[in-house]
Amino acid sequence: MGTPCCLTLDQWIGHILTLLGIIVGGFLAVWVVKEIQNKLTDNRVLKDYFISEIKDIRDQYRTFVNDLLKGNVEAKSIMSWFKLLNIRTTDLMTCAQRKYGVDHLLFQEYHYDLLACITDSNAISEALANNANLSLYQDEKSQLINIQQKHLHLFNEAIIAINDSQQA
C-alpha cells in the first residue's frame, strides 16, 4: 500500500498562505476594476452633462432666431433674454474650459453678432415704442440667417472637444 498523506505544519501554513494570497489578490483585482469603472462612468456622466447643456443652449438660440424670423418675440424681452443666456453660457463655458480645455469664449462672437443684428435693426425702435413684437425687415432676416449659418458649427465643435478630451 501507499504511504499515508501527511503534511507537516510548515507545509500546511505554506498552503494556507498561498490560498489567502489568491483570495486577497482576487478581491484586490475586483476592487481595482470597480474603482476604474466607477471613475470612467463618473467622467462620462460629467461629459454628458456638459454636452446636454451645450445642446440646450444651441436649441435656445435656434428657437429664439426662429421666433424672431416669424415676428413672435416681444421687443422689450429681447435684452433680458440675451443677458440671461449670456450668463448661462459664460458660466457653462468657463467650467468647460477648466475641465476640458474648451475655449470659454467660443460662443461669444455668435452671441454678440446676433445681439448687434437685432439692436441695429431699423424695426426695433418702432417695436419698443409700440410695446409690440419685433418684426424684422427682409434684409435683416437674411442677415440673421447668415449669422446663424456662420456660427452654428461652434456648438458641434464644443461637443467634439469635450468628447475628445482625455482629462478626467
Side-chain angles (χ1 to χ4, degrees):
M1 305 252 161
T3 59
C5 179
C6 293
L7 296 175
T8 66
L9 182 60
D10 289 342
Q11 290 172 327
W12 274 104
I13 291 173
H15 289 308
I16 290 172
L17 289 177
T18 301
L19 184 60
L20 283 174
I22 292 170
I23 292 171
V24 169
F27 281 122
L28 282 175
V30 168
W31 178 77
V32 166
V33 167
K34 282 188 172 265
E35 286 298 312
I36 290 172
Q37 190 174 19
N38 287 341
K39 185 171 174 79
L40 290 175
T41 300
D42 290 348
N43 288 336
R44 183 71 248 166
V45 167
L46 188 58
K47 283 183 178 184
D48 288 344
Y49 166 76
F50 277 99
I51 290 168
S52 72
E53 287 294 302
I54 288 170
K55 287 178 179 178
D56 188 55
I57 289 170
R58 177 188 61 197
D59 290 343
Q60 285 186 353
Y61 275 114
R62 281 183 179 164
T63 300
F64 183 74
V65 169
N66 287 337
D67 286 346
L68 272 173
L69 293 172
K70 294 175 189 173
N72 293 337
V73 177
E74 290 182 20
K76 66 181 178 182
S77 70
I78 290 173
M79 291 309 292
S80 61
W81 183 90
F82 271 100
K83 286 177 185 177
L84 290 173
L85 194 61
N86 187 51
I87 292 167
R88 181 178 179 200
T89 304
T90 300
D91 180 58
L92 179 73
M93 295 307 290
T94 299
C95 293
Q97 182 179 32
R98 276 195 307 258
K99 185 71 177 164
Y100 302 112
V102 178
D103 181 7
H104 72 285
L105 300 175
L106 189 62
F107 305 132
Q108 189 175 45
E109 183 181 351
Y110 177 49
H111 186 85
Y112 290 125
D113 283 354
L114 280 178
L115 180 60
C117 177
I118 294 164
T119 56
D120 292 347
S121 163
N122 294 324
I124 196 157
S125 297
E126 183 179 318
L128 286 170
N130 294 328
N131 201 21
N133 287 358
L134 177 61
S135 183
L136 297 171
Y137 298 114
Q138 191 56 46
D139 61 322
E140 295 167 338
K141 289 180 181 181
S142 296
Q143 185 182 2
L144 198 61
I145 291 169
N146 288 337
I147 291 169
Q148 194 171 20
Q149 287 174 334
K150 178 183 173 187
H151 295 290
L152 273 182
H153 68 93
L154 298 173
F155 294 95
N156 290 334
E157 287 181 20
I159 291 169
I160 291 168
I162 289 170
N163 260 330
D164 289 349
S165 175
Q166 300 301 316
Q167 295 177 335

